[in-house]
Amino acid sequence: MSTTRFLTGITTTGTPHLGNFVGSIRPSVAASLTPGVQSFYFLADYHALIKCEDPVRIQRSTLEIAASWLAAGLNPEKVTFYRQSDIPEIPELTWLLTCVTGKGVLNRAHAYKASVDKNTAAGREHDDGVTAGLFMYPVLMGADILMFKAHKVPVGRDQIQHIEMARDMAASFNHLYGEHFVLPEAAIDDHVATLPGLDGRKMSKSYDNTIPLFSSRAQLQKLIGGILTDSRAPGEAKEVEGSALFQIYQAFATPEETEALRKAYADGIAWGDAKHLLLERVDQVIAPMRAQYEELIHNPARIEQTLLAGAERARALATPFIRELRSAVGLRSLVQASTAAKPAKAAKAALPAFKQYREADGKFYFKLVAADGRLLLQSTGFDAPKEAGQAIAQLQKDSAALQTLAPRLAPVDGVEAAEVTAALQALAEAAAA
Ligand code: TRP
């Protein structure tokens, strides 16, 4: 199977701005439409708690970010779009990873080190004002990524270290307990522009120089009017180099349009006219999405429903996987046969299996057992072994056969349908590999 799985998270502390659109939302939506790609996008609201203690802001930001992504064309039928805090398996995995992560590794995380350096420079105690949440940030992020076996993680350069840490956590865990995790890689797109903000520095909420993505047209006009320019008069040639206005225009315009503006700069276009061109060009892209956004943001129930449906799909993977991981580390039933943590063995044992057998009643049965030995499916009795074999073959081929075979299956307590489906898919994938 050649599907590549992409996963990325968006921390829910702010209002999306044009820089987020150009740097993350637009390329992610485009990537999600590529054939052979499976995408997981989620709202990292547990991460938000690390930086933000304002519950109203967290909730509002979650709504705005979800509405922005959907308005920008993210199709929740095609991608798995969910809210981190709807997946209780993620904090559970965080703990398992915490126990295989060196404290020294976390000491070296850039964000944590920056806080320590700042304290040291100010003559304060090392960890002054640093929460354990900030310290643990990379482990929570590792759980986000490893839970869904992501191959590629599209992030900004400032996040590369976190992906490398996730990779190390996966490798340590696999080494100790068998091959359970995929080793992820950062995906950095060098073609994606970093947008300058109103003052010419990188557009970022920490610089307070942003243009919100879904400003009204009037607001947009006002903000664009405030973009820093030099004092060259109309008729004087202007520099495109270092012009925030030009760079923002370029991020929204075609190459031909960009060339035309470059020429207009050389010909001495007035700043007022250039700002007008920028307003029109940006608004042309934003206006159709803005209508969508307005509709969504006034309908939080619909977004809530979309996110819950996404969480359900995500959990169909996370629930059986965390069960497998718990069992791998030894958090398992006392009656289950103990297996040593031999990586090679564990890797092989990590697949569910069909078992066929004959009962005292003379009939032929089969069952599906999970990697950890738990019963997932139990058939009723067949008259001939061939019939049982055919039923197994059908299930191995397509988990949809569960429906047609339902009358031949006996209920199994405490097993969710999603888990059975996931087990069958894992078998099909292993067979195809
Ligand atoms: N730390 C990321 C950021 O600030 C957000 C994030 C949280 C994330 N979990 C993730 C990104 C998992 C990628 C994968 O941008």
Side-chain angles (χ1 to χ4, degrees), residues 7-9 11 42 44 47 137 141 144-145 153 155 159:
L7 174 145
T8 202
T11 309
F42 69 96
H47 278 100
Y137 188 109
M141 186 161 158
D144 291 331
I145 297 168
V153 186
V155 283
Q159 297 290 316

Side-chain angles (χ1 to χ4, degrees), residues 43-64:
L43 302 154
D45 55 348
Y46 281 136
H47 278 100
L49 297 181
I50 295 168
K51 318 191 208 171
C52 174
E53 288 161 9
D54 177 355
V56 174
R57 177 145 159 232
I58 301 249
Q59 184 191 24
R60 177 72 193 172
S61 172
T62 305
L63 176 67
E64 288 179 352

Side-chain angles (χ1 to χ4, degrees), residues 163-244:
I163 315 301
E164 283 166 359
M165 287 179 165
R167 206 179 155 81
D168 289 347
M169 291 170 207
S172 305
F173 191 99
N174 285 354
H175 177 71
L176 289 164
Y177 300 114
E179 295 294 317
H180 296 277
F181 292 125
V182 165
L183 305 191
E185 272 173 39
I188 308 284
D189 189 344
D190 285 314
H191 300 296
V192 165
T194 333
L195 224 57
L198 299 174
D199 57 0
R201 290 185 293 173
K202 177 183 170 188
M203 191 180 287
S204 160
K205 62 177 179 265
S206 41
Y207 294 146
D208 199 20
N209 65 356
T210 66
I211 302 177
L213 177 55
F214 293 115
S215 315
S216 65
R217 191 183 145 100
Q219 255 176 315
L220 195 60
Q221 179 167 20
K222 193 156 162 261
L223 288 165
I224 286 177
I227 293 176
L228 192 70
T229 54
D230 60 27
S231 54
R232 283 176 221 206
E236 258 185 277
K238 316 255 177 325
E239 292 288 339
V240 297
E241 205 63 46
S243 164

Side-chain angles (χ1 to χ4, degrees), residues 72-100:
L74 191 77
N75 178 356
E77 301 293 324
K78 244 206 119 233
V79 311
T80 308
F81 185 52
Y82 56 100
R83 174 169 51 196
Q84 186 186 30
S85 66
D86 284 332
I87 318 291
E89 291 83 0
I90 289 175
E92 193 170 355
L93 177 55
T94 301
W95 182 250
L96 301 190
L97 296 177
T98 302
C99 296
V100 299

